[in-house]
Amino acid sequence: MSETAREHPAVQKASSGNPRSIMYREALREALLEEMRRDASVFLLGEGIARRGGSYKVTEGLLNEFGPKRVIDTPLAEATFTGAGVGAALTGMRPVVEILFIDFSMLILDQIANQAAKLQFMTNKQCSVPMVLRTQGGAGNGLAAQHSQSLEAIFYHIPGLHLAMPATPYDAKGLMKSAIRSDFPVVFIEHKLLYMTEGEVPEEEYLIPFGEASIKRPGNDLTLVAWSNMLPRSLKAAESLAEEGIDIEVVDPRTLVPLDKKTIVDSVRKTQHLVIVQEAVRRGGVASDIASYVHEEAFDYLDAPIEIVAGLNTPIPYNLSLEKACIPQEVDIIEAVRRALARTV
Amino acid sequence: MIEVIVPQVGQDISTAVILEWKKKQGEEVAKGEVIAEVESDKAAFEVEAEADGVLAEILHGEGEEVEVFRPIAYIRLAGESDQTPRQAAAEAAPAASRRAPLDRGTAPIREEHRILASPAARRLAHKQDIDLTNIRGTGPGGRIILADIEEAIAACKAADTASTASDQDTLVPFTRMRQWIADRLTSSNLTIPHFHLTLDVDMTEVMAWRNTVRRRGETITVNDIIVKATAMALAAFPQMNAHVKEDKIILKKHVHLGVVTSVEDGLMVPVIPDADKKGLKTISAITRQNTEAARHGQMNLDYPGTFTVSSLGMFGIRQFTPIINLPQCAILAVGTVEKRVVPFKTEISVRDMMTLTLASDHRAVDGVVASQFLNKIKSDLENLNALISTWIQENPTTETEGVGRNARSDL
């Protein structure tokens, strides 16, 4: 996947001097490793993350280097160990709590929504919760309704939380390192289909600030906003459409909170057309919220109604064909682009 | 109960005027039977009953303008109740809400007049001072999109450069109004067997009287006087105040006199309603308002014209042969008032003369009636008695009465 001029300068340095391609899960592991080496207050909590090395091998080998006091296997008790993480963060530690599937995060909503998100506001910053909640979501491989959801909108809705959803190894590493150093509680949502994807990541240290979108593909005819696993799908759609001379700009917000509205609005002002792609169900989704911001700030620049391509308003079926039908595919994105650019002649 | 809907014939049609109801309220109708005749900008067409039944309620009378796709009547099917949906709604609605100034029921009608254009297209059109009514939308549902405006700008630029390049012809696409004029006049000229009568009128008395009135501070124009004289003649000759259909003549009850008014790149024919019953001052005021409104692209469509007067006098044109304004049966062309050497009584004299040309539809009108009609206008203009008496009725003071007397004594 080609990075663009708007990318972090480090990537150009790296790709010119020291090109290296690694997987998304390896990039995340590097981020955890580097931050744990740099800061002794960083520790990991989660199910199967220590001896097993994590279901997606993100924490592989970390137990050996940092020992069982900093890489802690927990029982299947999400509310308890997340609460422990919040408590540790209040004492000045920087815990990285892993919830194996975002679906299970429904068990920890009080700890996150009522405690972690609120405390720095309710204490006038006398305390803060510098915790990272690592989790992964999205559909793929027929894991059915309780292991396939995209629940970012729930965390997006709650003030006091930051929310990252990286789509590339480069973004995953840079954002994870920033998340660990942030004094805000950060919900960090990975995607199960992205762990094995590869991309260039420099060996030198770099950070990606929250609230800075990335233009993954520059273009002039239409803006496609997509995050997480919808980004590679959108880039593919953009490439198919480029063969017909349709020049699409693909913008990845990378963090949904804070949201880089300016980059999106500037892009729409340039292209006059907007398609937003989200894997989550349409109803009450982040895409609708982004659309409302664009209406507010770029109404006079829109040449067509904003199109939202989103998951169907239904629990994800187990059957693979039905699962596919519920989640936006490349062809759905292409169709939405055609609608937005349609002329009757 | 089923609705009788005005169909949309032609792409740009949004309204149509009901010319005639072929069936009365309460009359039985059969499926496919023609129940009304309506006319749009472009053409007249028939509205058929969609089912067997009884014409339960007529919502709009003849001459009324209605939106396409809107109901104009209800047909009651066998076994249905007597009450039409509109009557039922009127009964159900409390009186107060019916009188509410912001009647929700009328809102969608305005909405249908809206030009669909994307915000980006509107913004650029505004910036470039482009009139959206002249742009054809190519977006979904006919929405005007940015590309349409950009193409219009490009076309303008191309036309500009073409006109500056000396050996290039300039292509000017028809505006909607141009298209309307073109269609109407072509249709009139192709279908109506026109014949033209020409008559000279001695305007010396009119000019003198007009000048006297003017000195009194009244702004009556020669044209107003001709319009009034024509309206009086129309009242006397109902055959000339008619609409012509393929196989019939509709003698119109009212004299709604249209006056051709030139506007930017086109013309409009605003109407003076019941012109025969109005005094000169009122006619003059309405004409001024109409002209002003027409120049802003507005026209009162409540009164379909029954006759048209067209004047090119201000351009020094002595005489021209006009084309009838469908579906009317005649049109009067007014030439300039000029000094001519003419026999007067037993002398050779210099008089203010004017030439009138009447174009008539020979399907409906013959030469004798048309001649009598034209002579009636002539005599009313040359012998001011009738005109002055309407003036006195409108200005019932001795002083203004004196205007008339003075005018005559001036002669």
Side-chain angles (χ1 to χ4, degrees), chain A residues 272-273 298-305 339 341-345, chain B residues 118-121 123 136-140 143 145-148 151:
Chain A
Q272 331 264 359
H273 301 88
F299 178 77
D300 288 319
Y301 294 81
L302 286 171
D303 199 26
R339 280 196 299 276
L341 294 172
R343 296 191 76 172
T344 51
V345 288
Chain B
S118 80
R123 183 170 156 271
R136 195 168 68 94
T138 65
R143 182 194 297 133
I145 58 174
L146 198 59
D148 297 322
E151 281 161 15

Side-chain angles (χ1 to χ4, degrees), chain A residues 100-291:
Chain A
L100 196 46
F101 283 80
I102 196 171
D103 312 72
F104 311 158
S105 71
M106 297 300 96
L107 291 160
I108 59 159
L109 280 180
D110 182 66
Q111 282 76 355
I112 294 298
N114 291 333
Q115 309 306 327
K118 306 288 191 291
L119 290 173
Q120 65 166 321
F121 295 93
M122 296 178 74
T123 62
N124 195 22
K125 278 200 174 173
Q126 288 179 66
C127 61
S128 62
V129 183
M131 182 181 98
V132 177
L133 182 81
R134 263 192 67 225
T135 185
Q136 58 83 20
N141 308 328
L143 295 178
Q146 298 158 323
H147 296 76
S148 303
Q149 296 174 83
S150 297
L151 296 174
E152 67 263 28
I154 288 173
F155 299 103
Y156 178 87
H157 183 70
I158 297 163
L161 300 175
H162 280 182
L163 175 56
M165 291 189 79
T168 67
Y170 175 83
D171 292 343
K173 182 175 178 186
L175 287 169
M176 178 55 83
K177 287 169 72 79
S178 294
I180 291 169
R181 296 183 195 188
S182 168
D183 286 340
F184 266 84
V186 175
V187 178
F188 198 97
I189 307 176
E190 298 150 19
H191 196 289
K192 53 177 74 66
L193 293 185
L194 287 173
Y195 284 121
M196 305 285 274
T197 59
E198 288 196 16
E200 275 182 24
V201 176
E203 284 186 12
E204 297 84 352
E205 182 176 59
Y206 66 94
L207 297 171
I208 296 175
F210 274 47
E212 199 174 276
S214 165
I215 296 174
K216 298 295 187 191
R217 182 188 203 284
N220 288 309
D221 295 341
L222 181 140
T223 301
L224 253 176
V225 171
W227 54 91
S228 196
N229 194 40
M230 291 298 113
L231 176 70
R233 225 161 261 188
S234 297
L235 285 167
K236 267 194 205 158
E239 260 147 51
S240 306
L241 288 159
E243 288 164 19
E244 302 170 25
I246 298 173
D247 186 19
I248 292 179
E249 178 147 303
V250 180
V251 178
D252 179 359
R254 302 195 288 197
T255 62
L256 297 179
V257 183
L259 181 68
D260 182 359
K261 288 183 235 166
K262 185 174 185 300
T263 297
I264 296 170
V265 167
D266 285 351
S267 176
V268 173
R269 284 180 181 219
K270 180 176 73 172
T271 67
Q272 331 264 359
H273 301 88
L274 176 60
V275 175
I276 310 171
V277 190
Q278 75 177 15
E279 179 172 340
V281 299
R282 168 72 187 253
R283 190 162 56 222
V286 175
S288 307
D289 200 50
I290 293 175

Side-chain angles (χ1 to χ4, degrees), chain B residues 76-113:
Chain B
R76 184 172 62 240
L77 308 176
E80 282 188 323
S81 96
D82 286 356
Q83 210 176 36
T84 64
R86 198 185 67 91
Q87 290 162 347
E91 249 171 53
S97 80
R98 250 178 288 160
R99 260 182 254 116
L102 286 171
D103 183 0
R104 293 180 66 87
T106 60
I109 300 175
R110 287 197 165 279
E111 204 54 29
E112 280 167 28
H113 280 299

